[in-house]
Short mmCIF file of all heavy atoms in Angstrom, two decimals:
data_model
loop_
_atom_site.label_atom_id
_atom_site.label_comp_id
_atom_site.label_asym_id
_atom_site.label_seq_id
_atom_site.Cartn_x
_atom_site.Cartn_y
_atom_site.Cartn_z
N GLU A 103 -114.11 -17.63 -195.62
CA GLU A 103 -115.13 -18.18 -196.39
C GLU A 103 -114.97 -19.74 -196.76
O GLU A 103 -115.86 -20.49 -196.67
CB GLU A 103 -115.22 -17.42 -197.71
CG GLU A 103 -116.31 -17.78 -198.73
CD GLU A 103 -116.51 -16.98 -199.94
OE1 GLU A 103 -115.72 -15.94 -200.04
OE2 GLU A 103 -117.20 -17.39 -200.90
N ALA A 104 -113.67 -20.03 -197.20
CA ALA A 104 -113.44 -21.38 -197.46
C ALA A 104 -113.57 -22.42 -196.29
O ALA A 104 -114.23 -23.34 -196.47
CB ALA A 104 -112.01 -21.53 -198.13
N ALA A 105 -113.00 -21.94 -195.18
CA ALA A 105 -112.96 -22.81 -194.13
C ALA A 105 -114.37 -22.98 -193.53
O ALA A 105 -114.81 -24.08 -193.15
CB ALA A 105 -112.06 -22.24 -192.96
N PHE A 106 -115.15 -21.86 -193.51
CA PHE A 106 -116.53 -22.03 -192.99
C PHE A 106 -117.43 -22.92 -193.90
O PHE A 106 -118.19 -23.69 -193.35
CB PHE A 106 -117.17 -20.58 -192.98
CG PHE A 106 -118.34 -20.44 -192.15
CD1 PHE A 106 -118.30 -20.44 -190.76
CD2 PHE A 106 -119.62 -20.51 -192.75
CE1 PHE A 106 -119.46 -20.24 -189.98
CE2 PHE A 106 -120.78 -20.49 -192.00
CZ PHE A 106 -120.71 -20.38 -190.59
N GLN A 107 -117.22 -22.84 -195.18
CA GLN A 107 -117.98 -23.65 -196.11
C GLN A 107 -117.64 -25.14 -195.80
O GLN A 107 -118.53 -26.02 -195.93
CB GLN A 107 -117.56 -23.32 -197.58
CG GLN A 107 -118.13 -21.98 -198.03
CD GLN A 107 -119.73 -21.89 -198.02
OE1 GLN A 107 -120.40 -22.99 -198.29
NE2 GLN A 107 -120.25 -20.86 -197.66
N GLY A 108 -116.46 -25.45 -195.44
CA GLY A 108 -116.05 -26.80 -195.12
C GLY A 108 -116.20 -27.21 -193.67
O GLY A 108 -115.71 -28.27 -193.32
N ASP A 109 -116.69 -26.24 -192.80
CA ASP A 109 -116.86 -26.57 -191.41
C ASP A 109 -115.45 -26.91 -190.79
O ASP A 109 -115.29 -27.81 -189.93
CB ASP A 109 -117.87 -27.65 -191.13
CG ASP A 109 -118.20 -27.77 -189.68
OD1 ASP A 109 -118.17 -26.73 -189.01
OD2 ASP A 109 -118.47 -28.91 -189.12
N ASN A 110 -114.47 -26.11 -191.30
CA ASN A 110 -113.06 -26.20 -190.78
C ASN A 110 -112.69 -24.92 -190.15
O ASN A 110 -113.21 -23.90 -190.25
CB ASN A 110 -112.17 -26.62 -191.98
CG ASN A 110 -112.43 -27.95 -192.55
OD1 ASN A 110 -112.63 -28.94 -191.84
ND2 ASN A 110 -112.56 -27.95 -193.93
N VAL A 111 -111.52 -25.14 -189.51
CA VAL A 111 -110.86 -23.91 -188.87
C VAL A 111 -109.58 -23.70 -189.66
O VAL A 111 -108.81 -24.60 -190.00
CB VAL A 111 -110.42 -24.21 -187.44
CG1 VAL A 111 -109.48 -23.23 -186.85
CG2 VAL A 111 -111.69 -24.26 -186.54
N ALA A 112 -109.33 -22.33 -189.98
CA ALA A 112 -108.12 -21.87 -190.69
C ALA A 112 -107.37 -20.89 -189.92
O ALA A 112 -107.87 -19.72 -189.71
CB ALA A 112 -108.43 -21.31 -192.08
N VAL A 113 -106.31 -21.36 -189.23
CA VAL A 113 -105.52 -20.38 -188.46
C VAL A 113 -104.39 -19.79 -189.35
O VAL A 113 -103.61 -20.48 -189.94
CB VAL A 113 -104.74 -21.05 -187.34
CG1 VAL A 113 -103.96 -20.08 -186.51
CG2 VAL A 113 -105.85 -21.59 -186.33
N ILE A 114 -104.48 -18.44 -189.49
CA ILE A 114 -103.66 -17.82 -190.62
C ILE A 114 -102.60 -17.03 -190.02
O ILE A 114 -102.64 -16.50 -188.89
CB ILE A 114 -104.53 -16.95 -191.51
CG1 ILE A 114 -105.03 -15.78 -190.71
CG2 ILE A 114 -105.66 -17.65 -192.15
CD1 ILE A 114 -105.05 -14.52 -191.55
N SER A 115 -101.49 -16.89 -190.78
CA SER A 115 -100.47 -15.98 -190.54
C SER A 115 -99.83 -16.13 -189.20
O SER A 115 -99.65 -15.14 -188.40
CB SER A 115 -100.89 -14.51 -190.76
OG SER A 115 -101.26 -14.28 -192.12
N THR A 116 -99.45 -17.43 -188.92
CA THR A 116 -98.75 -17.67 -187.67
C THR A 116 -97.25 -17.59 -187.98
O THR A 116 -96.85 -17.44 -189.07
CB THR A 116 -99.06 -19.10 -187.11
OG1 THR A 116 -98.47 -20.06 -188.06
CG2 THR A 116 -100.57 -19.37 -187.01
N GLY A 117 -96.41 -17.71 -186.88
CA GLY A 117 -95.01 -17.58 -187.10
C GLY A 117 -94.51 -16.46 -186.15
O GLY A 117 -95.03 -16.23 -184.98
N TRP A 118 -93.57 -15.67 -186.54
CA TRP A 118 -93.13 -14.58 -185.73
C TRP A 118 -93.42 -13.24 -186.28
O TRP A 118 -93.72 -12.19 -185.57
CB TRP A 118 -91.66 -14.66 -185.33
CG TRP A 118 -90.66 -14.75 -186.38
CD1 TRP A 118 -90.37 -15.83 -187.21
CD2 TRP A 118 -89.61 -13.68 -186.72
NE1 TRP A 118 -89.33 -15.58 -188.01
CE2 TRP A 118 -88.87 -14.23 -187.72
CE3 TRP A 118 -89.46 -12.43 -186.32
CZ2 TRP A 118 -87.85 -13.56 -188.33
CZ3 TRP A 118 -88.39 -11.64 -186.86
CH2 TRP A 118 -87.54 -12.32 -187.91
N ASP A 119 -93.49 -13.02 -187.56
CA ASP A 119 -93.89 -11.71 -188.10
C ASP A 119 -94.41 -11.90 -189.48
O ASP A 119 -93.58 -12.11 -190.51
CB ASP A 119 -92.87 -10.59 -188.09
CG ASP A 119 -93.57 -9.23 -188.10
OD1 ASP A 119 -94.83 -9.18 -188.27
OD2 ASP A 119 -92.87 -8.23 -188.09
N PRO A 120 -95.63 -12.12 -189.70
CA PRO A 120 -96.73 -11.92 -188.75
C PRO A 120 -96.70 -13.25 -187.74
O PRO A 120 -96.20 -14.23 -188.11
CB PRO A 120 -98.02 -11.94 -189.42
CG PRO A 120 -97.61 -12.62 -190.73
CD PRO A 120 -96.26 -12.25 -191.04
N GLY A 121 -97.17 -12.98 -186.53
CA GLY A 121 -97.22 -14.04 -185.52
C GLY A 121 -97.02 -13.43 -184.23
O GLY A 121 -97.73 -12.51 -183.73
N LEU A 122 -95.88 -13.81 -183.54
CA LEU A 122 -95.60 -13.29 -182.24
C LEU A 122 -95.40 -11.77 -182.16
O LEU A 122 -95.82 -11.12 -181.31
CB LEU A 122 -94.36 -14.07 -181.70
CG LEU A 122 -94.47 -15.55 -181.46
CD1 LEU A 122 -93.27 -16.10 -180.88
CD2 LEU A 122 -95.77 -16.02 -180.91
N PHE A 123 -94.85 -11.18 -183.24
CA PHE A 123 -94.71 -9.81 -183.30
C PHE A 123 -96.06 -9.15 -183.41
O PHE A 123 -96.31 -8.03 -182.87
CB PHE A 123 -93.75 -9.37 -184.58
CG PHE A 123 -92.32 -9.34 -184.31
CD1 PHE A 123 -91.73 -10.06 -183.18
CD2 PHE A 123 -91.45 -8.72 -185.13
CE1 PHE A 123 -90.33 -10.10 -182.97
CE2 PHE A 123 -90.05 -8.65 -184.81
CZ PHE A 123 -89.61 -9.26 -183.81
N SER A 124 -96.98 -9.70 -184.16
CA SER A 124 -98.30 -9.10 -184.27
C SER A 124 -98.99 -9.07 -182.92
O SER A 124 -99.57 -8.00 -182.56
CB SER A 124 -99.14 -10.04 -185.19
OG SER A 124 -98.41 -10.25 -186.39
N ILE A 125 -98.81 -10.14 -182.12
CA ILE A 125 -99.46 -10.15 -180.77
C ILE A 125 -98.92 -9.04 -179.95
O ILE A 125 -99.55 -8.28 -179.29
CB ILE A 125 -99.30 -11.55 -180.14
CG1 ILE A 125 -100.06 -12.65 -180.98
CG2 ILE A 125 -99.81 -11.40 -178.64
CD1 ILE A 125 -99.64 -14.04 -180.53
N ASN A 126 -97.59 -8.89 -179.99
CA ASN A 126 -96.92 -7.93 -179.23
C ASN A 126 -97.18 -6.49 -179.60
O ASN A 126 -97.42 -5.63 -178.84
CB ASN A 126 -95.39 -8.15 -179.23
CG ASN A 126 -94.72 -7.18 -178.26
OD1 ASN A 126 -94.25 -6.09 -178.66
ND2 ASN A 126 -94.67 -7.55 -176.93
N ARG A 127 -97.33 -6.21 -180.91
CA ARG A 127 -97.72 -4.94 -181.35
C ARG A 127 -99.11 -4.65 -180.79
O ARG A 127 -99.27 -3.47 -180.40
CB ARG A 127 -97.72 -4.87 -182.97
CG ARG A 127 -96.36 -4.83 -183.51
CD ARG A 127 -96.42 -4.51 -185.00
NE ARG A 127 -96.79 -5.68 -185.87
CZ ARG A 127 -95.96 -6.45 -186.53
NH1 ARG A 127 -94.60 -6.21 -186.39
NH2 ARG A 127 -96.35 -7.46 -187.28
N THR A 128 -100.01 -5.47 -180.95
CA THR A 128 -101.40 -5.22 -180.42
C THR A 128 -101.42 -5.00 -178.97
O THR A 128 -101.90 -4.03 -178.38
CB THR A 128 -102.37 -6.28 -180.80
OG1 THR A 128 -102.47 -6.32 -182.30
CG2 THR A 128 -103.72 -6.04 -180.18
N LEU A 129 -100.70 -5.90 -178.24
CA LEU A 129 -100.65 -5.93 -176.74
C LEU A 129 -99.98 -4.57 -176.24
O LEU A 129 -100.57 -3.82 -175.35
CB LEU A 129 -100.00 -7.09 -176.21
CG LEU A 129 -99.79 -7.25 -174.64
CD1 LEU A 129 -101.13 -7.41 -173.99
CD2 LEU A 129 -98.83 -8.38 -174.40
N ALA A 130 -98.81 -4.37 -176.82
CA ALA A 130 -98.06 -3.13 -176.32
C ALA A 130 -98.75 -1.86 -176.65
O ALA A 130 -98.77 -0.97 -175.78
CB ALA A 130 -96.65 -3.23 -176.99
N SER A 131 -99.33 -1.72 -177.79
CA SER A 131 -99.98 -0.43 -178.17
C SER A 131 -101.27 -0.23 -177.39
O SER A 131 -101.73 0.88 -177.26
CB SER A 131 -100.17 -0.41 -179.75
OG SER A 131 -100.97 -1.40 -180.10
N SER A 132 -101.81 -1.40 -176.93
CA SER A 132 -103.18 -1.31 -176.11
C SER A 132 -102.82 -0.77 -174.72
O SER A 132 -103.79 -0.26 -174.05
CB SER A 132 -103.89 -2.64 -176.13
OG SER A 132 -104.07 -3.17 -177.32
N ILE A 133 -101.61 -0.79 -174.33
CA ILE A 133 -101.31 -0.49 -172.92
C ILE A 133 -101.15 1.12 -172.72
O ILE A 133 -101.46 1.59 -171.69
CB ILE A 133 -100.00 -1.20 -172.49
CG1 ILE A 133 -100.33 -2.69 -172.29
CG2 ILE A 133 -99.44 -0.65 -171.20
CD1 ILE A 133 -99.16 -3.56 -172.14
N PHE A 134 -100.61 1.63 -173.81
CA PHE A 134 -100.45 3.18 -173.72
C PHE A 134 -101.62 3.92 -174.39
O PHE A 134 -102.03 3.58 -175.51
CB PHE A 134 -99.21 3.61 -174.47
CG PHE A 134 -97.91 2.99 -173.85
CD1 PHE A 134 -97.26 1.86 -174.45
CD2 PHE A 134 -97.43 3.50 -172.61
CE1 PHE A 134 -96.14 1.31 -173.84
CE2 PHE A 134 -96.23 2.92 -172.12
CZ PHE A 134 -95.64 1.88 -172.74
N PRO A 135 -102.17 4.95 -173.73
CA PRO A 135 -103.13 5.87 -174.47
C PRO A 135 -102.60 6.40 -175.84
O PRO A 135 -103.33 6.47 -176.77
CB PRO A 135 -103.41 6.97 -173.37
CG PRO A 135 -103.03 6.36 -172.09
CD PRO A 135 -101.96 5.35 -172.41
N GLN A 136 -101.36 6.73 -175.79
CA GLN A 136 -100.66 7.03 -177.08
C GLN A 136 -99.27 6.41 -177.02
O GLN A 136 -98.66 6.45 -176.06
CB GLN A 136 -100.46 8.61 -177.19
CG GLN A 136 -101.89 9.40 -177.58
CD GLN A 136 -101.53 10.88 -177.74
OE1 GLN A 136 -101.03 11.46 -176.82
NE2 GLN A 136 -101.76 11.38 -178.89
N SER A 137 -98.85 5.83 -178.20
CA SER A 137 -97.59 5.14 -178.14
C SER A 137 -96.93 5.28 -179.44
O SER A 137 -97.48 5.65 -180.48
CB SER A 137 -97.83 3.62 -177.88
OG SER A 137 -98.56 3.12 -179.02
N GLN A 138 -95.62 5.16 -179.45
CA GLN A 138 -94.74 5.16 -180.61
C GLN A 138 -94.27 3.66 -180.70
O GLN A 138 -93.80 3.03 -179.83
CB GLN A 138 -93.51 6.05 -180.41
CG GLN A 138 -92.52 5.96 -181.56
CD GLN A 138 -93.08 6.23 -182.90
OE1 GLN A 138 -93.83 7.14 -183.12
NE2 GLN A 138 -92.83 5.28 -183.86
N GLN A 139 -94.51 3.13 -181.93
CA GLN A 139 -94.16 1.66 -182.04
C GLN A 139 -93.42 1.53 -183.35
O GLN A 139 -93.82 2.00 -184.46
CB GLN A 139 -95.41 0.81 -182.04
CG GLN A 139 -95.10 -0.66 -182.06
CD GLN A 139 -96.41 -1.47 -181.95
OE1 GLN A 139 -97.09 -1.73 -182.98
NE2 GLN A 139 -96.75 -1.83 -180.67
N ASN A 140 -92.33 0.75 -183.24
CA ASN A 140 -91.51 0.35 -184.47
C ASN A 140 -91.12 -1.11 -184.44
O ASN A 140 -90.90 -1.69 -183.32
CB ASN A 140 -90.27 1.26 -184.41
CG ASN A 140 -90.48 2.73 -184.47
OD1 ASN A 140 -90.59 3.34 -183.49
ND2 ASN A 140 -90.57 3.31 -185.70
N SER A 141 -91.14 -1.72 -185.63
CA SER A 141 -90.75 -3.09 -185.81
C SER A 141 -89.40 -3.11 -186.59
O SER A 141 -89.31 -2.39 -187.59
CB SER A 141 -91.83 -3.90 -186.51
OG SER A 141 -93.00 -3.89 -185.76
#
Side-chain angles (χ1 to χ4, degrees):
E103 180 179 352
F106 194 80
Q107 289 297 326
D109 193 26
N110 295 314
V111 164
V113 177
I114 67 143
S115 298
T116 69
W118 58 285
D119 202 358
L122 302 187
F123 273 23
S124 311
I125 296 167
N126 186 266
R127 283 191 284 263
T128 297
L129 178 62
S131 58
S132 301
I133 289 168
F134 296 104
Q136 282 183 307
S137 64
Q138 173 57 47
Q139 187 173 85
N140 300 89
S141 298

